[in-house]
Amino acid sequence: MKSMMLRVIGGPNQLKLENVETPKPGSKEVVVRLQAAALNRRDLMVVHGQYPGIKLPVIPGSDGAGEIVAIGAEVNNVLIGDKVIINPGLNWGNDMNKKMADFTVLGVPTNGTYAQYVKVPAENVFLKPSHLSWEEAAALPLAGLTAYRALVTKGKVQTGETVLIPGVGGGVATYLVQFAAALGAKVYVTSSKEEKIEKAKRFGATEGVNYTSDDWSDELEKLTGGIDLSVDSIGGEVFKTLVSLGKIGSRIVSFGATRGPVPNLVLPSLTVKEMSVIGSTMGSPQDFSEMVKFVEEHKIYPVLDKTFSLEEASEALFRMEKGENFGKIVLSIPQD
């Protein structure tokens, strides 16, 4: 099969198109012939050697959708020919509230979805929502799961609440906007680009502000009257602004920190407001199942940025690295 293989750490250009052996399923595994895959920022971290547990050579990629072409002897939840999407979280465990110590994500250290075929545990495939194209379905798993757990399971968003999504534009942020709007929240966003704010408004945001402005937090406070729930992937100085914008009894859910640690956080700011700060990563199999049902029920369509061919995976990663995308970047997988 054709695959994009990473044998040397050093950035997107180290991905090379190779022919490798097509995987065969174990007794509790399935093989999926992929129709499309999608990029995540995690993939960038992998090619730059910034992600834990990298074992080379490896085929990156966590997101994918396709058809079941082989099943193990003990598999009974899917059939050959089923159209499926893949839950990329491996070995979560039975406790919905926390993952096991050996939890990993498809694509590192195991081979992922930048290929024509991928082998995964049978419990990690779910029937594709019928209203989605292959590209849309491939774009859903990791970012959709991360957004759903952060917003619903951990953030416990309620109808009518004011929700802030800082740094809109990436895949998780676009799902957060859509999911929160579908649940009846008033959604506000920030971005350094006015066009991204306008796009977010088309997908459910009420309003947004440009965070390059010196008074962006004051502007947000005037617009919102305070925030009930912030879902953050930025950290750094921005996190302190989220604390200042939070209402009494509000919550901040953090699923990342692209700007690093939070400097000089004044803890009494949290305690006086009785705020909750909650960490979240990916999600449980139950979260994934509920997320898929939610997407089907509300007929949510993933926001797609641009589709590249499999052999253009390096170019696609460079687009993500430059922050040019709004929504998910997708790879179209060639068929035999």
Side-chain angles (χ1 to χ4, degrees):
M1 70 171 182
K2 294 179 180 178
S3 67
M4 294 300 292
M5 184 70 71
L6 180 69
R7 294 187 179 276
V8 179
I9 295 299
N13 277 335
Q14 296 302 326
L15 283 173
K16 306 297 181 185
L17 185 67
E18 295 186 13
N19 284 312
V20 298
E21 185 176 354
T22 302
K24 295 179 174 59
S27 62
K28 297 181 180 181
E29 295 175 324
V30 300
V31 173
V32 180
R33 181 174 61 207
L34 293 160
Q35 298 282 341
L39 275 62
N40 292 285
R41 188 152 293 275
R42 175 182 189 270
D43 304 343
L44 268 178
M45 296 173 69
V46 167
V47 298
H48 283 294
Q50 299 169 343
Y51 198 88
I54 299 173
K55 296 179 181 179
L56 300 179
V58 70
I59 301 169
S62 304
D63 283 343
E67 298 178 11
I68 302 289
V69 294
I71 61 176
E74 298 182 51
V75 173
N76 54 25
N77 62 314
V78 289
L79 300 171
I80 290 176
D82 280 350
K83 299 177 179 180
V84 298
I85 60 173
I86 299 167
N87 174 8
L90 306 175
N91 305 317
W92 179 276
N94 296 323
D95 189 344
M96 179 182 175
N97 296 314
K98 60 182 180 182
K99 57 185 178 288
M100 295 197 303
D102 61 348
F103 172 79
T104 60
V105 180
L106 186 67
V108 161
T110 56
N111 284 331
T113 57
Y114 288 13
Q116 288 180 303
Y117 297 85
V118 67
K119 177 178 69 174
V120 294
E123 64 186 13
N124 282 73
V125 293
F126 293 74
L127 294 180
K128 179 181 80 70
S130 59
H131 69 289
L132 299 183
S133 68
W134 283 119
E135 289 78 13
E136 290 164 340
L140 180 61
L142 191 148
L145 174 60
T146 301
Y148 186 87
R149 183 172 177 85
L151 183 72
V152 180
T153 307
K154 292 294 192 79
K156 300 189 185 304
V157 65
Q158 302 296 312
T159 299
E161 286 193 316
T162 301
V163 176
L164 175 60
I165 314 298
V168 75
V172 179
T174 56
Y175 286 120
L176 286 166
V177 172
Q178 290 178 287
F179 292 177
L183 288 165
K186 294 175 289 185
V187 187
Y188 293 84
V189 300
T190 71
S191 176
S192 62
K193 297 180 179 179
E194 296 294 337
E195 60 267 30
K196 289 191 175 183
I197 294 172
E198 291 304 311
K199 286 181 179 179
K201 288 162 69 173
R202 293 202 295 270
F203 293 107
T206 300
E207 190 54 84
V209 299
N210 191 317
Y211 63 72
T212 61
S213 171
D214 291 337
D215 61 349
W216 69 270
S217 60
D218 293 336
E219 186 179 351
L220 254 181
E221 190 164 17
K222 291 176 183 177
L223 280 172
T224 64
I227 303 298
D228 295 299
L229 171 64
S230 293
V231 187
D232 180 48
S233 64
I234 299 174
E237 289 284 350
V238 171
F239 191 89
K240 292 192 292 183
T241 304
L242 302 184
V243 173
S244 69
L245 288 168
K247 296 178 181 178
I248 294 175
S250 60
R251 297 94 70 206
I252 300 174
V253 177
S254 171
F255 66 92
T258 57
R259 293 194 183 177
V262 181
N264 304 317
L265 177 64
V266 181
L267 286 177
S269 300
L270 290 170
T271 56
V272 169
K273 290 187 176 182
E274 299 192 37
M275 294 179 69
S276 299
V277 178
I278 307 161
S280 186
T281 304
M282 294 282 289
S284 68
Q286 183 177 335
D287 289 319
F288 193 90
S289 177
E290 290 176 0
M291 182 271 293
V292 172
K293 291 175 183 176
F294 181 84
V295 167
E296 290 182 300
E297 178 184 351
H298 293 274
K299 291 295 182 285
I300 289 172
Y301 289 87
V303 179
L304 301 186
D305 174 69
K306 188 174 181 180
T307 299
F308 293 81
S309 64
L310 176 63
E311 56 266 34
E312 294 173 325
S314 297
E315 183 181 344
L317 283 168
F318 278 124
R319 179 173 177 80
M320 175 180 283
E321 193 166 41
K322 294 174 183 175
E324 296 174 346
N325 62 300
F326 185 94
K328 294 288 289 184
I329 299 172
V330 178
L331 301 178
S332 177
I333 307 298
Q335 301 304 292
D336 294 333

